[in-house]
Amino acid sequence: MSSYSHTVDGNTWRFDSLREVMAKASPARSGDYLAGVAAGSDVERVAAQMCLAEIPLKRFLDEALIPYEQDEVTRLIIDGHDRAAFAPVSHLTVGGFRDWLLGEAANETSLRALAPGLTPEMAAAVSKIMRVQDLVLVAQKIRVVTRFRNTQGLRGRMSTRLQPNHPTDEPAGIAASILDGLLYGNGDAMLGINPASDSIAAISEMLRMLDGIIQRYEIPTQACVLTHVTTSIEAINRGVPLDLVFQSIAGTEAANASFGINLGILQEGYEAGLSLARGSLGNNLMYFETGQGSALSAGAHHGVDQQTCETRAYAVARHFKPFLVNTVVGFIGPEYLYNGKQIIRAGLEDHFCGKLLGLPMGCDICYTNHAEADQDDMDTLLTLFGVAGINFIMGIPGSDDVMLNYQTTSFHDALYARQTMGLKPAPEFEAWLQRMDILRQHDGRLELGRQLPAPFRKALEQLA
């Protein structure tokens, strides 16, 4: 293991490993202080960033932050590395790579080809020396397109996950939220429920309900109940109509073990989902959620900073060709991301790193009620994401999830972003919205229809 150093104003700062350079180069966040890996001062942080900028990208192939022998995620990263794809940037330092990404050589085509040649640690490293505008500029160059029943990730489009959670999984409450969301043009990424119960009977009932809604109204979207992957496998074995296979994932083998998973279990879930062949346009069917701080909260971070651990989770996701990946950025709490500033920075880092690695990234733009953040911070991050080309965001009644008790983005927030930045839903879903007269084009802008569609009037009468 190598040591590294950099001199600032006549003082030489030494770092005992690449892992330490990475941790101390990270922008300040509460989780790294909690872990005891953060820089002790702003000067030390700058010294680490300058040191990191001088490190060759190739170094990340020679010095694993978590030993190869101890961690299956490290083995996945190293064994799956595409050296031919890496070749165009293999001569660069981290700082040189930043310059390359900001230049004209980095475009949609070259960045798509480069993705298999990058390791998560390379992506995390370059993000640590980038400004907010750099993260936005490079991310908007990248488009990661996936397909199941509609097409996600096309330029000029932004989708939403309609999240109709209910504290008791009450079907009428869930249906009311779905109807409300559809009337605002939400739901093209998926109809996705966080269940209050994880029993196979309850999960199966919700999956059948969602499938019934999609089939009845011929909605070109997909459904997901966010249960453990092993429960999804059991539902598939029982013949339950399941579209997307969900799992929370992390960036170390030990952190994934705390979720009750490993790569083998994820592979089993992936293959089970493929066996149903329910996608009409494509077979991207995994839905993963991540979040900075998950490895530390499980005591499984190996001394690696939380943003690098997060980016390593994207290697796990990439292996299974997912339909959507969602960084739930502020959900874990202020112990890991203390305030709005840290949440905004972390969200942009996650989005940038995920897309750079070839993932269809979305974000739950959120915060818990005990964080030093508010809805103004979320509006700021939402707007930045719209410019940066995010694949999807959350749509929840009134921004307030009554089951999970956190604050996120609402149905009308998605409409704001689409109207302000000229963004559209997924093309197949947009056509359905116009056919139902839910959204219409007016002077190049999407506007809400003036009347409740007849099929929904009947549904509303039934709910009443």
Side-chain angles (χ1 to χ4, degrees), residues 245-290:
V245 177
F246 166 77
Q247 184 56 49
S248 294
I249 58 173
T252 72
E253 179 178 347
N256 283 324
S258 75
F259 292 145
I261 60 164
N262 55 40
L263 296 178
I265 292 173
L266 292 176
Q267 183 67 34
E268 185 180 350
Y270 177 53
E271 292 173 0
L274 286 175
S275 72
L276 297 178
R278 290 176 59 82
S280 55
L281 296 183
N283 60 2
N284 302 113
L285 56 82
M286 300 299 285
Y287 174 55
F288 293 118
E289 287 194 344
T290 67

mmCIF file of all heavy atoms in Angstrom, residues 245-290:
data_model
loop_
_atom_site.group_PDB
_atom_site.id
_atom_site.type_symbol
_atom_site.label_atom_id
_atom_site.label_comp_id
_atom_site.label_asym_id
_atom_site.label_seq_id
_atom_site.Cartn_x
_atom_site.Cartn_y
_atom_site.Cartn_z
ATOM 1 N N VAL A 245 -38.256 -6.200 -10.187
ATOM 2 C CA VAL A 245 -37.717 -6.840 -8.984
ATOM 3 C C VAL A 245 -36.913 -5.796 -8.218
ATOM 4 O O VAL A 245 -35.966 -5.216 -8.758
ATOM 5 C CB VAL A 245 -36.831 -8.044 -9.335
ATOM 6 C CG1 VAL A 245 -36.217 -8.652 -8.069
ATOM 7 C CG2 VAL A 245 -37.641 -9.099 -10.097
ATOM 8 N N PHE A 246 -37.276 -5.562 -6.967
ATOM 9 C CA PHE A 246 -36.650 -4.524 -6.150
ATOM 10 C C PHE A 246 -35.645 -5.103 -5.161
ATOM 11 O O PHE A 246 -35.816 -6.215 -4.666
ATOM 12 C CB PHE A 246 -37.711 -3.760 -5.357
ATOM 13 C CG PHE A 246 -37.129 -2.910 -4.259
ATOM 14 C CD1 PHE A 246 -36.515 -1.706 -4.540
ATOM 15 C CD2 PHE A 246 -37.166 -3.339 -2.935
ATOM 16 C CE1 PHE A 246 -35.955 -0.930 -3.531
ATOM 17 C CE2 PHE A 246 -36.613 -2.566 -1.920
ATOM 18 C CZ PHE A 246 -36.004 -1.360 -2.222
ATOM 19 N N GLN A 247 -34.615 -4.278 -4.842
ATOM 20 C CA GLN A 247 -33.769 -4.546 -3.683
ATOM 21 C C GLN A 247 -32.954 -3.314 -3.333
ATOM 22 O O GLN A 247 -32.448 -2.623 -4.211
ATOM 23 C CB GLN A 247 -32.826 -5.727 -3.941
ATOM 24 C CG GLN A 247 -31.969 -6.127 -2.745
ATOM 25 C CD GLN A 247 -32.795 -6.446 -1.499
ATOM 26 O OE1 GLN A 247 -33.754 -7.209 -1.561
ATOM 27 N NE2 GLN A 247 -32.438 -5.848 -0.382
ATOM 28 N N SER A 248 -32.816 -3.039 -2.029
ATOM 29 C CA SER A 248 -31.830 -2.069 -1.558
ATOM 30 C C SER A 248 -30.459 -2.724 -1.612
ATOM 31 O O SER A 248 -30.306 -3.888 -1.236
ATOM 32 C CB SER A 248 -32.138 -1.645 -0.118
ATOM 33 O OG SER A 248 -33.341 -0.930 -0.049
ATOM 34 N N ILE A 249 -29.471 -1.983 -2.063
ATOM 35 C CA ILE A 249 -28.112 -2.515 -2.175
ATOM 36 C C ILE A 249 -27.118 -1.516 -1.605
ATOM 37 O O ILE A 249 -27.422 -0.327 -1.437
ATOM 38 C CB ILE A 249 -27.728 -2.848 -3.634
ATOM 39 C CG1 ILE A 249 -27.861 -1.596 -4.526
ATOM 40 C CG2 ILE A 249 -28.571 -4.001 -4.165
ATOM 41 C CD1 ILE A 249 -27.351 -1.795 -5.947
ATOM 42 N N ALA A 250 -25.917 -1.995 -1.309
ATOM 43 C CA ALA A 250 -24.844 -1.161 -0.774
ATOM 44 C C ALA A 250 -23.535 -1.520 -1.463
ATOM 45 O O ALA A 250 -23.492 -2.407 -2.325
ATOM 46 C CB ALA A 250 -24.745 -1.340 0.736
ATOM 47 N N GLY A 251 -22.456 -0.852 -1.056
ATOM 48 C CA GLY A 251 -21.197 -0.954 -1.778
ATOM 49 C C GLY A 251 -20.162 -1.885 -1.196
ATOM 50 O O GLY A 251 -19.029 -1.921 -1.682
ATOM 51 N N THR A 252 -20.523 -2.650 -0.158
ATOM 52 C CA THR A 252 -19.599 -3.644 0.380
ATOM 53 C C THR A 252 -20.347 -4.946 0.617
ATOM 54 O O THR A 252 -21.572 -4.958 0.811
ATOM 55 C CB THR A 252 -18.961 -3.199 1.710
ATOM 56 O OG1 THR A 252 -19.947 -3.250 2.761
ATOM 57 C CG2 THR A 252 -18.393 -1.787 1.613
ATOM 58 N N GLU A 253 -19.614 -6.044 0.596
ATOM 59 C CA GLU A 253 -20.232 -7.346 0.834
ATOM 60 C C GLU A 253 -20.901 -7.397 2.208
ATOM 61 O O GLU A 253 -22.021 -7.910 2.350
ATOM 62 C CB GLU A 253 -19.167 -8.439 0.734
ATOM 63 C CG GLU A 253 -19.681 -9.845 0.980
ATOM 64 C CD GLU A 253 -18.600 -10.903 0.834
ATOM 65 O OE1 GLU A 253 -17.509 -10.601 0.310
ATOM 66 O OE2 GLU A 253 -18.865 -12.047 1.254
ATOM 67 N N ALA A 254 -20.232 -6.845 3.214
ATOM 68 C CA ALA A 254 -20.777 -6.885 4.571
ATOM 69 C C ALA A 254 -22.041 -6.041 4.694
ATOM 70 O O ALA A 254 -22.991 -6.418 5.392
ATOM 71 C CB ALA A 254 -19.731 -6.418 5.570
ATOM 72 N N ALA A 255 -22.080 -4.883 4.037
ATOM 73 C CA ALA A 255 -23.285 -4.047 4.081
ATOM 74 C C ALA A 255 -24.441 -4.737 3.372
ATOM 75 O O ALA A 255 -25.592 -4.683 3.836
ATOM 76 C CB ALA A 255 -23.005 -2.690 3.455
ATOM 77 N N ASN A 256 -24.168 -5.394 2.256
ATOM 78 C CA ASN A 256 -25.222 -6.144 1.577
ATOM 79 C C ASN A 256 -25.721 -7.301 2.436
ATOM 80 O O ASN A 256 -26.914 -7.624 2.443
ATOM 81 C CB ASN A 256 -24.726 -6.649 0.222
ATOM 82 C CG ASN A 256 -24.704 -5.557 -0.829
ATOM 83 O OD1 ASN A 256 -25.574 -4.683 -0.845
ATOM 84 N ND2 ASN A 256 -23.712 -5.584 -1.704
ATOM 85 N N ALA A 257 -24.803 -7.921 3.170
ATOM 86 C CA ALA A 257 -25.209 -9.007 4.073
ATOM 87 C C ALA A 257 -26.183 -8.490 5.127
ATOM 88 O O ALA A 257 -27.096 -9.216 5.559
ATOM 89 C CB ALA A 257 -23.984 -9.632 4.729
ATOM 90 N N SER A 258 -26.016 -7.231 5.552
ATOM 91 C CA SER A 258 -26.950 -6.660 6.529
ATOM 92 C C SER A 258 -28.344 -6.502 5.941
ATOM 93 O O SER A 258 -29.336 -6.435 6.672
ATOM 94 C CB SER A 258 -26.433 -5.303 7.031
ATOM 95 O OG SER A 258 -26.616 -4.278 6.063
ATOM 96 N N PHE A 259 -28.444 -6.417 4.601
ATOM 97 C CA PHE A 259 -29.732 -6.395 3.912
ATOM 98 C C PHE A 259 -30.251 -7.805 3.627
ATOM 99 O O PHE A 259 -31.325 -7.964 3.049
ATOM 100 C CB PHE A 259 -29.618 -5.652 2.574
ATOM 101 C CG PHE A 259 -29.358 -4.173 2.687
ATOM 102 C CD1 PHE A 259 -28.561 -3.529 1.753
ATOM 103 C CD2 PHE A 259 -29.914 -3.414 3.702
ATOM 104 C CE1 PHE A 259 -28.320 -2.169 1.829
ATOM 105 C CE2 PHE A 259 -29.678 -2.052 3.789
ATOM 106 C CZ PHE A 259 -28.880 -1.422 2.850
ATOM 107 N N GLY A 260 -29.452 -8.810 3.984
ATOM 108 C CA GLY A 260 -29.860 -10.186 3.726
ATOM 109 C C GLY A 260 -29.677 -10.621 2.299
ATOM 110 O O GLY A 260 -30.404 -11.498 1.802
ATOM 111 N N ILE A 261 -28.664 -10.042 1.623
ATOM 112 C CA ILE A 261 -28.445 -10.387 0.213
ATOM 113 C C ILE A 261 -26.968 -10.587 -0.066
ATOM 114 O O ILE A 261 -26.094 -10.205 0.725
ATOM 115 C CB ILE A 261 -28.979 -9.296 -0.742
ATOM 116 C CG1 ILE A 261 -28.265 -7.955 -0.478
ATOM 117 C CG2 ILE A 261 -30.484 -9.154 -0.625
ATOM 118 C CD1 ILE A 261 -28.436 -6.941 -1.581
ATOM 119 N N ASN A 262 -26.693 -11.176 -1.212
ATOM 120 C CA ASN A 262 -25.368 -11.219 -1.815
ATOM 121 C C ASN A 262 -25.577 -11.250 -3.324
ATOM 122 O O ASN A 262 -26.720 -11.232 -3.818
ATOM 123 C CB ASN A 262 -24.553 -12.419 -1.314
ATOM 124 C CG ASN A 262 -25.278 -13.736 -1.512
ATOM 125 O OD1 ASN A 262 -25.931 -13.958 -2.545
ATOM 126 N ND2 ASN A 262 -25.182 -14.633 -0.541
ATOM 127 N N LEU A 263 -24.496 -11.285 -4.066
ATOM 128 C CA LEU A 263 -24.615 -11.248 -5.522
ATOM 129 C C LEU A 263 -25.369 -12.455 -6.059
ATOM 130 O O LEU A 263 -26.112 -12.352 -7.047
ATOM 131 C CB LEU A 263 -23.231 -11.152 -6.157
ATOM 132 C CG LEU A 263 -22.428 -9.883 -5.846
ATOM 133 C CD1 LEU A 263 -21.054 -9.944 -6.502
ATOM 134 C CD2 LEU A 263 -23.177 -8.635 -6.303
ATOM 135 N N GLY A 264 -25.210 -13.597 -5.425
ATOM 136 C CA GLY A 264 -25.900 -14.798 -5.860
ATOM 137 C C GLY A 264 -27.410 -14.683 -5.717
ATOM 138 O O GLY A 264 -28.165 -15.097 -6.611
ATOM 139 N N ILE A 265 -27.875 -14.108 -4.609
ATOM 140 C CA ILE A 265 -29.318 -13.923 -4.403
ATOM 141 C C ILE A 265 -29.878 -12.924 -5.412
ATOM 142 O O ILE A 265 -30.974 -13.118 -5.968
ATOM 143 C CB ILE A 265 -29.592 -13.468 -2.960
ATOM 144 C CG1 ILE A 265 -29.267 -14.601 -1.978
ATOM 145 C CG2 ILE A 265 -31.039 -13.016 -2.790
ATOM 146 C CD1 ILE A 265 -29.344 -14.202 -0.517
ATOM 147 N N LEU A 266 -29.129 -11.847 -5.677
ATOM 148 C CA LEU A 266 -29.570 -10.882 -6.679
ATOM 149 C C LEU A 266 -29.667 -11.524 -8.056
ATOM 150 O O LEU A 266 -30.600 -11.242 -8.821
ATOM 151 C CB LEU A 266 -28.623 -9.679 -6.716
ATOM 152 C CG LEU A 266 -28.626 -8.772 -5.485
ATOM 153 C CD1 LEU A 266 -27.575 -7.683 -5.636
ATOM 154 C CD2 LEU A 266 -30.004 -8.156 -5.253
ATOM 155 N N GLN A 267 -28.726 -12.383 -8.375
ATOM 156 C CA GLN A 267 -28.762 -13.084 -9.663
ATOM 157 C C GLN A 267 -30.008 -13.962 -9.761
ATOM 158 O O GLN A 267 -30.662 -14.024 -10.810
ATOM 159 C CB GLN A 267 -27.499 -13.934 -9.831
ATOM 160 C CG GLN A 267 -27.398 -14.655 -11.173
ATOM 161 C CD GLN A 267 -27.214 -13.706 -12.339
ATOM 162 O OE1 GLN A 267 -26.573 -12.657 -12.212
ATOM 163 N NE2 GLN A 267 -27.764 -14.058 -13.498
ATOM 164 N N GLU A 268 -30.343 -14.622 -8.667
ATOM 165 C CA GLU A 268 -31.541 -15.462 -8.651
ATOM 166 C C GLU A 268 -32.795 -14.618 -8.887
ATOM 167 O O GLU A 268 -33.692 -15.015 -9.649
ATOM 168 C CB GLU A 268 -31.640 -16.195 -7.313
ATOM 169 C CG GLU A 268 -32.788 -17.182 -7.234
ATOM 170 C CD GLU A 268 -32.862 -17.899 -5.893
ATOM 171 O OE1 GLU A 268 -31.912 -17.767 -5.090
ATOM 172 O OE2 GLU A 268 -33.879 -18.590 -5.650
ATOM 173 N N GLY A 269 -32.863 -13.444 -8.245
ATOM 174 C CA GLY A 269 -34.000 -12.558 -8.454
ATOM 175 C C GLY A 269 -34.076 -12.048 -9.882
ATOM 176 O O GLY A 269 -35.170 -11.963 -10.471
ATOM 177 N N TYR A 270 -32.933 -11.705 -10.439
ATOM 178 C CA TYR A 270 -32.866 -11.220 -11.818
ATOM 179 C C TYR A 270 -33.370 -12.283 -12.794
ATOM 180 O O TYR A 270 -34.196 -12.008 -13.678
ATOM 181 C CB TYR A 270 -31.423 -10.822 -12.119
ATOM 182 C CG TYR A 270 -31.156 -10.362 -13.531
ATOM 183 C CD1 TYR A 270 -31.901 -9.343 -14.118
ATOM 184 C CD2 TYR A 270 -30.114 -10.922 -14.273
ATOM 185 C CE1 TYR A 270 -31.630 -8.907 -15.411
ATOM 186 C CE2 TYR A 270 -29.841 -10.490 -15.565
ATOM 187 C CZ TYR A 270 -30.603 -9.487 -16.127
ATOM 188 O OH TYR A 270 -30.336 -9.065 -17.406
ATOM 189 N N GLU A 271 -32.907 -13.484 -12.620
ATOM 190 C CA GLU A 271 -33.321 -14.566 -13.512
ATOM 191 C C GLU A 271 -34.805 -14.895 -13.341
ATOM 192 O O GLU A 271 -35.498 -15.204 -14.326
ATOM 193 C CB GLU A 271 -32.452 -15.803 -13.268
ATOM 194 C CG GLU A 271 -31.006 -15.608 -13.702
ATOM 195 C CD GLU A 271 -30.095 -16.764 -13.319
ATOM 196 O OE1 GLU A 271 -30.594 -17.739 -12.713
ATOM 197 O OE2 GLU A 271 -28.890 -16.699 -13.642
ATOM 198 N N ALA A 272 -35.303 -14.823 -12.106
ATOM 199 C CA ALA A 272 -36.725 -15.064 -11.881
ATOM 200 C C ALA A 272 -37.571 -14.018 -12.600
ATOM 201 O O ALA A 272 -38.593 -14.334 -13.227
ATOM 202 C CB ALA A 272 -37.022 -15.059 -10.385
ATOM 203 N N GLY A 273 -37.154 -12.750 -12.516
ATOM 204 C CA GLY A 273 -37.877 -11.693 -13.211
ATOM 205 C C GLY A 273 -37.859 -11.884 -14.722
ATOM 206 O O GLY A 273 -38.880 -11.721 -15.398
ATOM 207 N N LEU A 274 -36.698 -12.251 -15.263
ATOM 208 C CA LEU A 274 -36.592 -12.485 -16.707
ATOM 209 C C LEU A 274 -37.513 -13.611 -17.164
ATOM 210 O O LEU A 274 -38.053 -13.572 -18.273
ATOM 211 C CB LEU A 274 -35.147 -12.823 -17.074
ATOM 212 C CG LEU A 274 -34.124 -11.684 -17.068
ATOM 213 C CD1 LEU A 274 -32.723 -12.232 -17.326
ATOM 214 C CD2 LEU A 274 -34.470 -10.625 -18.115
ATOM 215 N N SER A 275 -37.709 -14.605 -16.302
ATOM 216 C CA SER A 275 -38.517 -15.766 -16.692
ATOM 217 C C SER A 275 -39.963 -15.401 -16.989
ATOM 218 O O SER A 275 -40.649 -16.120 -17.728
ATOM 219 C CB SER A 275 -38.467 -16.829 -15.586
ATOM 220 O OG SER A 275 -39.225 -16.422 -14.452
ATOM 221 N N LEU A 276 -40.458 -14.285 -16.435
ATOM 222 C CA LEU A 276 -41.839 -13.877 -16.666
ATOM 223 C C LEU A 276 -42.041 -13.199 -18.016
ATOM 224 O O LEU A 276 -43.158 -13.178 -18.539
ATOM 225 C CB LEU A 276 -42.298 -12.926 -15.554
ATOM 226 C CG LEU A 276 -42.340 -13.516 -14.143
ATOM 227 C CD1 LEU A 276 -42.777 -12.447 -13.143
ATOM 228 C CD2 LEU A 276 -43.279 -14.707 -14.075
ATOM 229 N N ALA A 277 -40.991 -12.584 -18.559
ATOM 230 C CA ALA A 277 -41.048 -11.928 -19.876
ATOM 231 C C ALA A 277 -42.233 -10.969 -19.976
ATOM 232 O O ALA A 277 -43.000 -10.991 -20.944
ATOM 233 C CB ALA A 277 -41.100 -12.980 -20.988
ATOM 234 N N ARG A 278 -42.381 -10.102 -18.974
ATOM 235 C CA ARG A 278 -43.521 -9.192 -18.928
ATOM 236 C C ARG A 278 -43.250 -7.848 -19.606
ATOM 237 O O ARG A 278 -44.169 -7.049 -19.811
ATOM 238 C CB ARG A 278 -43.956 -8.957 -17.479
ATOM 239 C CG ARG A 278 -44.604 -10.186 -16.848
ATOM 240 C CD ARG A 278 -44.936 -9.972 -15.378
ATOM 241 N NE ARG A 278 -45.851 -8.858 -15.147
ATOM 242 C CZ ARG A 278 -47.178 -8.931 -15.270
ATOM 243 N NH1 ARG A 278 -47.736 -10.068 -15.658
ATOM 244 N NH2 ARG A 278 -47.929 -7.882 -15.001
ATOM 245 N N GLY A 279 -42.013 -7.572 -19.952
ATOM 246 C CA GLY A 279 -41.710 -6.316 -20.623
ATOM 247 C C GLY A 279 -42.097 -6.362 -22.084
ATOM 248 O O GLY A 279 -41.761 -7.310 -22.801
ATOM 249 N N SER A 280 -42.800 -5.343 -22.561
ATOM 250 C CA SER A 280 -43.223 -5.306 -23.961
ATOM 251 C C SER A 280 -42.201 -4.641 -24.871
ATOM 252 O O SER A 280 -42.159 -4.925 -26.075
ATOM 253 C CB SER A 280 -44.571 -4.589 -24.086
ATOM 254 O OG SER A 280 -44.503 -3.294 -23.513
ATOM 255 N N LEU A 281 -41.355 -3.770 -24.316
ATOM 256 C CA LEU A 281 -40.351 -3.066 -25.126
ATOM 257 C C LEU A 281 -38.927 -3.513 -24.822
ATOM 258 O O LEU A 281 -38.025 -3.322 -25.636
ATOM 259 C CB LEU A 281 -40.445 -1.555 -24.902
ATOM 260 C CG LEU A 281 -41.734 -0.865 -25.326
ATOM 261 C CD1 LEU A 281 -41.617 0.634 -25.100
ATOM 262 C CD2 LEU A 281 -42.061 -1.154 -26.786
ATOM 263 N N GLY A 282 -38.678 -4.058 -23.633
ATOM 264 C CA GLY A 282 -37.325 -4.455 -23.244
ATOM 265 C C GLY A 282 -37.361 -5.299 -21.996
ATOM 266 O O GLY A 282 -38.424 -5.553 -21.422
ATOM 267 N N ASN A 283 -36.183 -5.733 -21.569
ATOM 268 C CA ASN A 283 -36.102 -6.624 -20.404
ATOM 269 C C ASN A 283 -35.236 -6.063 -19.284
ATOM 270 O O ASN A 283 -34.701 -6.819 -18.485
ATOM 271 C CB ASN A 283 -35.612 -8.013 -20.815
ATOM 272 C CG ASN A 283 -34.230 -7.975 -21.456
ATOM 273 O OD1 ASN A 283 -33.619 -6.918 -21.561
ATOM 274 N ND2 ASN A 283 -33.749 -9.128 -21.891
ATOM 275 N N ASN A 284 -35.085 -4.730 -19.214
ATOM 276 C CA ASN A 284 -34.490 -4.118 -18.022
ATOM 277 C C ASN A 284 -35.546 -4.175 -16.923
ATOM 278 O O ASN A 284 -36.598 -3.568 -17.054
ATOM 279 C CB ASN A 284 -34.099 -2.661 -18.288
ATOM 280 C CG ASN A 284 -33.115 -2.524 -19.442
ATOM 281 O OD1 ASN A 284 -33.450 -1.979 -20.485
ATOM 282 N ND2 ASN A 284 -31.916 -3.011 -19.252
ATOM 283 N N LEU A 285 -35.285 -4.913 -15.833
ATOM 284 C CA LEU A 285 -36.375 -5.144 -14.875
ATOM 285 C C LEU A 285 -35.972 -5.025 -13.409
ATOM 286 O O LEU A 285 -36.826 -5.166 -12.534
ATOM 287 C CB LEU A 285 -37.016 -6.513 -15.117
ATOM 288 C CG LEU A 285 -36.113 -7.743 -15.089
ATOM 289 C CD1 LEU A 285 -35.829 -8.260 -13.693
ATOM 290 C CD2 LEU A 285 -36.720 -8.850 -15.938
ATOM 291 N N MET A 286 -34.707 -4.755 -13.122
ATOM 292 C CA MET A 286 -34.309 -4.588 -11.727
ATOM 293 C C MET A 286 -34.485 -3.132 -11.308
ATOM 294 O O MET A 286 -34.197 -2.209 -12.065
ATOM 295 C CB MET A 286 -32.860 -5.009 -11.522
ATOM 296 C CG MET A 286 -32.571 -6.461 -11.862
ATOM 297 S SD MET A 286 -33.496 -7.649 -10.873
ATOM 298 C CE MET A 286 -32.612 -7.561 -9.302
ATOM 299 N N TYR A 287 -34.953 -2.941 -10.080
ATOM 300 C CA TYR A 287 -35.067 -1.615 -9.491
ATOM 301 C C TYR A 287 -34.273 -1.617 -8.189
ATOM 302 O O TYR A 287 -34.599 -2.346 -7.242
ATOM 303 C CB TYR A 287 -36.526 -1.254 -9.214
ATOM 304 C CG TYR A 287 -36.701 0.049 -8.459
ATOM 305 C CD1 TYR A 287 -36.142 1.224 -8.940
ATOM 306 C CD2 TYR A 287 -37.422 0.100 -7.268
ATOM 307 C CE1 TYR A 287 -36.296 2.416 -8.252
ATOM 308 C CE2 TYR A 287 -37.594 1.293 -6.581
ATOM 309 C CZ TYR A 287 -37.022 2.450 -7.069
ATOM 310 O OH TYR A 287 -37.170 3.637 -6.390
ATOM 311 N N PHE A 288 -33.206 -0.808 -8.137
ATOM 312 C CA PHE A 288 -32.342 -0.757 -6.967
ATOM 313 C C PHE A 288 -32.453 0.597 -6.285
ATOM 314 O O PHE A 288 -32.564 1.634 -6.949
ATOM 315 C CB PHE A 288 -30.879 -0.989 -7.368
ATOM 316 C CG PHE A 288 -30.592 -2.368 -7.883
ATOM 317 C CD1 PHE A 288 -30.140 -2.552 -9.177
ATOM 318 C CD2 PHE A 288 -30.758 -3.481 -7.076
ATOM 319 C CE1 PHE A 288 -29.857 -3.823 -9.666
ATOM 320 C CE2 PHE A 288 -30.480 -4.754 -7.548
ATOM 321 C CZ PHE A 288 -30.033 -4.931 -8.846
ATOM 322 N N GLU A 289 -32.381 0.580 -4.955
ATOM 323 C CA GLU A 289 -32.281 1.813 -4.189
ATOM 324 C C GLU A 289 -31.007 1.798 -3.363
ATOM 325 O O GLU A 289 -30.587 0.748 -2.845
ATOM 326 C CB GLU A 289 -33.502 2.003 -3.280
ATOM 327 C CG GLU A 289 -34.741 2.384 -4.059
ATOM 328 C CD GLU A 289 -35.875 2.899 -3.199
ATOM 329 O OE1 GLU A 289 -35.850 2.694 -1.971
ATOM 330 O OE2 GLU A 289 -36.804 3.515 -3.769
ATOM 331 N N THR A 290 -30.393 2.980 -3.248
ATOM 332 C CA THR A 290 -29.130 3.144 -2.543
ATOM 333 C C THR A 290 -29.211 4.413 -1.705
ATOM 334 O O THR A 290 -30.213 5.128 -1.736
ATOM 335 C CB THR A 290 -27.958 3.258 -3.532
ATOM 336 O OG1 THR A 290 -28.086 4.496 -4.261
ATOM 337 C CG2 THR A 290 -27.939 2.110 -4.528
#
